[in-house]
Amino acid sequence: MGIPGDIGISATENLRSYISQATLPLMILPRNGPPVPPSGHRSHNVGFTTRPETYRRLEFITQDPKVDLHLEVTKYINWIVPEHPLEEGDVDPKTCNAILIPCNPTFDIPQPRIPLPTNIDQFASWVHGLPLRTTERIMHLVYPDSKSWSFVCQTGDIDEPHFRYYAWELSPNVSSTSGRKATAVVMALPPWTMTPTDFKCFVACKEFPLFSKAGRARLNEDERIWGKLYDLCIARDSPYFVVTNYYNWVFGAFSKGWGGAIRGEILKHGNNEPTVLEHLLYWVASSMSHPGTYQRPEVPETHVNRGLMQPTSSGRLPTIHDIVSDDFDNESTWGGNDDDLQSGYSFSGASNASYADSGRVTTYRPAKDRQERDARNWLRACQEAGAGEPSVQVNLNDDSLTSVGSKWSSFSAATVRAGNWINPSPTIFRQS
C-alpha cells in the first residue's frame, strides 16, 4: 500500500466513475471459522426464534413487474452522482467517515485491514466497515443535508447472536422535519448461517402465513427470516430494507399497508452493472423519498396502515415469547437442491376466510385472491386496473363465500384493527 496519491486519484475526483467501478472485495472464510455447509446445501442453522404473531400483516412477497431495478439504478446514478471533482475529500475530517471500498489502480483507496471473519462481530465489520460506511460517506457528498444521518448498529434483539442489523437513522440530537427517525434497515446474516442456497430460498419465498389459532404454530426457516425482517422494519417505521450475507444482496420494501413485500433480484457482491454500492446509494435515497428514486407501488391489502403495534418501553415489539416459552425444532427439510426451490405452505393460502374484525366494518374481500399463487400477477393486474372501475363492497356478515367466522382474537382486534382494502381487486379476480 503506497502513500495516498501515488497510485491513482481520490474517489471524489470522479465520484460517478468510482461508484460504478468499486466492487466489494472477496471475503475469504478462514479454516478456523464456523463450519460452512457444502456448496448447494442449506445450513439449517438460522437460529431465529420468530413465531406467528397477531400483529404481522405480511401476506405476499413479489417483484414489481413494471420496474427494471438495475436500469433504474443506472439512470439514477448517471443523473445524480457528479463526475466533476468535489471540494471535499474521501475522508470527512470531522467524523472520520470515509470512502473505504478499494478500486485500484484507477482510484487510490487503501486495502482494508479487516480480519477474516471467524465470528459474527468480525463478519459485521466487513458489512458495516466497507459497503455501509462508504455508502454513508457518498450520501453525505451527494446530499449534504443528509449529514445528520448514518448507519447505526442496533442492539437488544433476542436473536442478536445470529445476525446484525443496522438502521439508516437521524442523529438523536437533531429534530426530524418529516417526523421520521429512521427510513431503512439492513439485516446481515453470516454465510455460515445463511448460505447462498439459504439466500435463494429466502428470496424465492412468495407467501407468509397470517396468524391464526387454527393454523401452524411454527414457521419454516425462510418465513422466520421474513418475520424477523418485518418486525425490525415495523418497529422503526422503516419500510425499505436490505438483506445480505455479504456475498449476496437483495433490496426491497414493504408496501404502504405492510401486507406485501416488493423485492428485487439477488445481486452478487462482485456485480458491476450496477455495483452493490450503486444499489445501496439508490435504495437509501429511495427510503428518504429523494427525486428520481424508487417509490413503492399501490397494492391491494387487507388492512390500511393504522393501528400498527409499536415497540414496548424496552424497545421491542410484544411477541408470543411473552406468554409462550417452549422450544421448537428446525422444520426445514429441503436437501439443498436449487431445482427444488418453492415457497412454503401457507395457512392463509389454503383458506378463503377474511381475517377482518367482522361486524365492525364493511370490508371488500376478493374471493379469488388466494387462488392466484403468483403475487406478481396479482400486483400487475391491480396496477393495470382502470382508475374508474367501480368498487364492489360486501358486508362480511352477508358474505356467502366465507365459510368460517372471524379468526381475529380480541387482542389483535384491539391492536391491529381491521380496515378497508386499499384499492379494489381487479375485475378478473372478482369473476365467479
Side-chain angles (χ1 to χ4, degrees), residues 160-384:
E160 188 173 318
H162 303 286
F163 79 116
R164 289 292 181 269
Y165 70 108
Y166 305 84
W168 179 249
E169 281 188 357
L170 180 64
S171 174
N173 58 354
V174 177
S175 59
S176 173
T177 57
S178 64
R180 302 180 67 185
K181 291 290 187 177
T183 63
V185 166
V186 179
M187 184 167 72
L189 296 91
W192 53 82
T193 290
M194 194 179 203
T195 67
T197 301
D198 286 315
F199 205 94
K200 290 179 182 178
C201 294
F202 163 73
V203 172
C205 186
K206 295 182 179 179
E207 293 180 321
F208 190 87
L210 288 173
F211 178 88
S212 172
K213 292 181 179 179
R216 289 179 293 146
R218 304 174 181 178
L219 301 175
N220 65 36
E221 282 193 333
D222 306 320
E223 292 165 348
R224 290 180 201 173
I225 300 174
W226 277 110
K228 174 65 69 176
L229 179 62
Y230 180 99
D231 293 350
L232 301 179
C233 289
I234 202 171
R236 288 152 188 79
D237 192 22
S238 303
Y240 286 77
F241 62 80
V242 181
V243 181
T244 182
N245 65 357
Y246 188 85
Y247 299 116
N248 302 278
W249 296 72
V250 67
F251 299 79
F254 290 103
S255 58
K256 296 180 180 180
W258 294 88
I262 314 299
R263 54 87 180 163
E265 297 178 351
I266 296 176
L267 193 70
K268 301 293 185 181
H269 80 284
N271 199 77
N272 58 6
E273 292 182 359
T275 63
V276 169
L277 193 55
E278 288 177 298
H279 269 269
L280 278 168
L281 180 64
Y282 176 75
W283 214 242
V284 173
S286 297
S287 74
M288 301 184 76
S289 301
H290 284 296
T293 59
Y294 181 80
Q295 300 305 311
R296 294 171 292 160
E298 294 284 350
V299 298
E301 300 180 273
T302 310
H303 311 290
V304 296
N305 190 16
R306 55 188 171 92
L308 294 173
M309 294 184 67
Q310 298 300 318
T312 63
S313 58
S314 63
R316 65 176 180 85
L317 288 167
T319 72
I320 202 168
H321 298 293
D322 298 329
I323 55 176
V324 179
S325 60
D326 56 300
D327 295 328
F328 54 92
D329 297 327
N330 188 316
E331 287 191 329
S332 175
T333 58
W334 185 58
N337 189 338
D338 292 351
D339 296 334
D340 294 336
L341 290 176
Q342 59 182 358
S343 58
Y345 169 81
S346 170
F347 170 78
S348 56
S351 171
N352 254 345
S354 173
Y355 294 90
D357 183 17
S358 60
R360 183 181 297 274
V361 294
T362 299
T363 303
Y364 175 80
R365 183 192 65 77
K368 299 289 186 179
D369 65 320
R370 280 301 182 182
Q371 297 175 23
E372 178 56 68
R373 294 306 181 98
D374 192 341
R376 284 177 293 184
N377 294 339
W378 169 258
L379 179 59
R380 184 183 297 108
C382 292
Q383 291 178 330
E384 294 175 354

Side-chain angles (χ1 to χ4, degrees), residues 352 354 363 365 394-403:
N352 254 345
S354 173
T363 303
R365 183 192 65 77
V394 180
N395 190 294
L396 285 176
N397 295 331
D398 298 328
D399 190 351
S400 60
L401 296 176
T402 301
S403 58

Side-chain angles (χ1 to χ4, degrees), residues 46-126:
V46 171
F48 285 174
T49 57
T50 318
R51 302 187 185 188
E53 304 288 1
T54 56
Y55 60 79
R56 290 198 197 104
R57 301 177 180 179
L58 181 62
E59 297 182 66
F60 67 87
I61 302 104
T62 187
Q63 291 181 271
D64 191 332
K66 291 193 173 182
V67 174
D68 182 337
L69 192 56
H70 289 1
L71 178 61
E72 293 301 316
V73 169
T74 301
K75 288 166 55 179
Y76 163 79
I77 295 299
N78 291 337
W79 173 63
I80 197 67
V81 180
E83 290 181 295
H84 59 80
L86 303 179
E87 294 183 1
E88 297 189 50
D90 292 357
V91 181
D92 187 330
K94 293 182 179 180
T95 65
C96 293
N97 205 0
I99 293 174
L100 298 169
I101 298 177
C103 190
N104 295 325
T106 306
F107 297 93
D108 183 22
I109 313 293
Q111 291 294 322
R113 294 182 175 180
I114 303 177
L116 299 181
T118 59
N119 55 54
I120 185 66
D121 291 320
Q122 291 176 341
F123 161 75
S125 66
W126 280 81

